[in-house]
């Protein structure tokens, strides 16, 4: 088959997590519930932060952006998967696949950068508490989020442009529930050596850089906490990092687990099942991690629902 025929691909087939027809209703219900919990939980975080002036601080500003990134990231994959199950179709168009790949890589990278920015915020708060509001001013916070977004967008654009130069055979079956960048590169029929070089270079620069910054921030944080004389002071300082540390551990722990599972097995669908952890489960758990032991978030949500309830009562009384 000549390369000219290979490039004229209009659609792919997403095999999903299982081809067993009996499991499709279960998968549909399970992923629909997880998606709704993810969207609702992260939306509540955004509403709590935006509606309560007590939460108009750098830490919660970054948290609301992280919640937005989680909603967008999950929304690039799960709705298409649910639609395919509902319509009993596995088809995704070539343009749809590239678009999905771009936005998934974009929001995943943004998530990655935001976790590092949040670590820097905790570093300034604990290591330089007297200058915290001077350093973490509104301009710097906005700039950090904007730079994170731009770097993620450029990295995602570069990698997707590299995929566009590849050739694929017609009717290609993708053993995944979404178009994943690395897997699409490996499934190409044309030479993907340059793509692999770009992929690994981008991973080192855009992945290793933020990780190094995150580790540096926490090394300084731990040094500062150890220098605090009182046990109560150490506990108070460390407690401000617990939620973020939990999310970071979940994010990198699942990512490392996926990498090791994909490296240790040639069964692509096994890797697809494992990838559910970081594509669906992690964004779903983040709101719970940040709100369960956070008095500020819980207080803001209570006030939000109290005001919403009063407004609802007033509107109903006026209609009556």
């Amino acid at each position: 088959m000549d390369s000219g025929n290979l490039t004229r691909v209009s659609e792919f087939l997403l095999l999903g997590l299982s081809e067993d027809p009996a499991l499709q209703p279960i998968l549909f219900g399970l992923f629909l519930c997880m998606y709704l919990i993810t969207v609702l939980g992260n939306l509540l975080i955004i509403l709590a932060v935006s509606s309560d002036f007590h939460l108009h601080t750098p830490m919660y500003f970054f948290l609301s952006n992280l919640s937005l990134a989680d909603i967008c990231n999950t929304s690039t994959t799960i709705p298409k998967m649910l639609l395919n199950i509902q319509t009993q179709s596995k088809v995704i168009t070539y343009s749809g696949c590239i678009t999905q790949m771009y936005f998934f890589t974009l929001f995943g990278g943004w998530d990655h950068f935001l976790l590092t920015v949040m670590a820097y915020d905790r570093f300034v708060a604990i290591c330089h508490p007297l200058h915290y509001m001077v350093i973490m001013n509104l301009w710097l916070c906005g700039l950090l989020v904007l730079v994170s977004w731009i770097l993620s967008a450029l990295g995602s654009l570069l990698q997707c442009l590299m995929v566009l130069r590849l050739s694929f055979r017609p009717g290609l079956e993708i053993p995944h529930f979404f178009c994943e960048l690395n897997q699409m590169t490996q499934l190409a029929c044309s030479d993907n050596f340059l793509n692999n070089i770009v992929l690994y270079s981008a991973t080192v620069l855009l992945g290793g850089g933020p990780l190094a910054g995150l580790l540096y921030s926490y090394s300084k944080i731990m040094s500062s906490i150890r220098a605090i004389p009182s046990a109560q002071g150490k506990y108070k300082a460390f407690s401000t990092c617990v939620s973020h540390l939990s999310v970071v551990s979940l994010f990198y722990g699942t990512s490392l687990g996926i990498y090791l599972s994909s490296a240790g097995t040639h069964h692509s669908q096994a890797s697809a099942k494992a990838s559910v952890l970081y594509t669906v489960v992690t964004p779903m758990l983040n709101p719970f991690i940040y709100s369960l032991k956070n008095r500020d978030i819980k207080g803001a949500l209570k006030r939000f629902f109290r005001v919403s309830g009063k407004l609802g009562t007033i509107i109903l009384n006026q209609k009556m």
Side-chain angles (χ1 to χ4, degrees):
M1 187 180 293
D2 61 85
S3 61
N5 290 331
L6 288 173
T7 56
R8 290 195 290 269
V9 176
S10 60
E11 60 187 32
F12 301 116
L13 298 177
L14 289 172
L15 298 184
L17 296 174
S18 174
E19 296 187 67
D20 186 354
L23 288 178
Q24 300 311 305
I26 298 174
L27 288 173
F28 182 85
L30 178 63
F31 276 84
L32 178 61
C33 289
M34 288 195 293
Y35 178 65
L36 292 176
I37 292 171
T38 301
V39 172
L40 180 60
N42 284 288
L43 271 179
L44 286 175
I45 294 289
I46 295 172
L47 286 172
V49 173
S50 59
S51 64
D52 196 315
F53 71 93
H54 294 100
L55 301 185
H56 291 176
T57 62
M59 181 176 73
Y60 292 112
F61 171 69
F62 296 136
L63 176 58
S64 62
N65 278 276
L66 182 69
S67 293
L68 177 61
D70 284 338
I71 291 174
C72 295
N73 196 22
T74 310
S75 297
T76 61
T77 57
I78 303 304
K80 177 58 180 174
M81 176 191 180
L82 295 175
L83 179 64
N84 282 4
I85 294 175
Q86 184 67 22
T87 59
Q88 298 182 357
S89 170
K90 299 178 182 179
V91 173
I92 183 169
T93 63
Y94 179 82
S95 59
C97 186
I98 297 297
T99 302
Q100 187 182 68
M101 198 185 312
Y102 172 77
F103 283 108
F104 181 79
T105 308
L106 164 63
F107 293 120
W110 193 31
D111 224 336
H112 189 59
F113 278 108
L114 285 172
L115 288 174
T116 303
V117 168
M118 294 171 78
Y120 175 72
D121 171 73
R122 292 299 84 207
F123 158 72
V124 176
I126 293 174
C127 301
H128 307 283
L130 298 179
H131 302 96
Y132 176 69
M133 292 311 297
V134 176
I135 297 173
M136 299 304 295
N137 55 69
L138 182 62
W139 183 86
L140 179 62
C141 292
L143 181 64
L144 288 172
V145 171
L146 180 62
V147 169
S148 299
W149 172 269
I150 292 173
L151 289 175
S152 301
L154 291 177
S156 180
L157 180 62
L158 172 62
Q159 295 186 72
C160 288
L161 287 175
M162 293 300 297
V163 174
L164 290 175
R165 62 180 288 275
L166 297 175
S167 300
F168 300 92
R169 71 175 187 271
L172 177 67
E173 294 183 343
I174 304 172
H176 216 301
F177 63 94
F178 68 96
C179 293
E180 198 264 332
L181 179 64
N182 183 51
Q183 194 164 80
M184 293 301 297
T185 302
Q186 304 311 318
L187 290 172
C189 296
S190 54
D191 181 29
N192 59 9
F193 177 76
L194 183 58
N195 288 72
N196 286 327
I197 294 295
V198 172
L199 178 62
Y200 295 136
S201 299
T203 301
V204 170
L205 292 174
L206 300 180
L211 179 59
L214 192 149
L215 293 175
Y216 176 80
S217 295
Y218 269 105
S219 68
K220 291 295 184 180
I221 288 171
M222 294 307 170
S223 298
S224 296
I225 290 176
R226 282 200 303 269
I228 298 174
S230 67
Q232 185 178 2
K234 289 181 179 179
Y235 174 79
K236 185 176 180 181
F238 184 72
S239 64
T240 63
C241 304
V242 170
S243 296
H244 182 255
L245 266 176
S246 301
V247 171
V248 167
S249 301
L250 184 64
F251 182 87
Y252 284 103
T254 53
S255 299
L256 180 62
I258 300 309
Y259 173 78
L260 293 176
S261 67
S262 61
T265 179
H266 297 290
H267 199 309
S268 299
Q269 279 203 314
S271 299
K273 292 173 184 177
S275 70
V276 172
L277 288 174
Y278 77 88
T279 57
V280 185
V281 176
T282 299
M284 181 181 70
L285 293 180
N286 284 353
F288 294 99
I289 293 172
Y290 273 105
S291 61
L292 284 178
K293 291 187 177 182
N294 190 310
R295 295 178 183 176
D296 294 333
I297 292 289
K298 288 193 287 188
L301 287 173
K302 287 178 182 178
R303 287 189 289 272
F304 174 77
F305 286 120
R306 191 183 302 125
V307 171
S308 299
K310 289 179 180 179
L311 288 174
T313 303
I314 292 171
I315 292 172
L316 286 174
N317 289 336
Q318 287 178 346
K319 288 183 177 181
M320 293 175 65

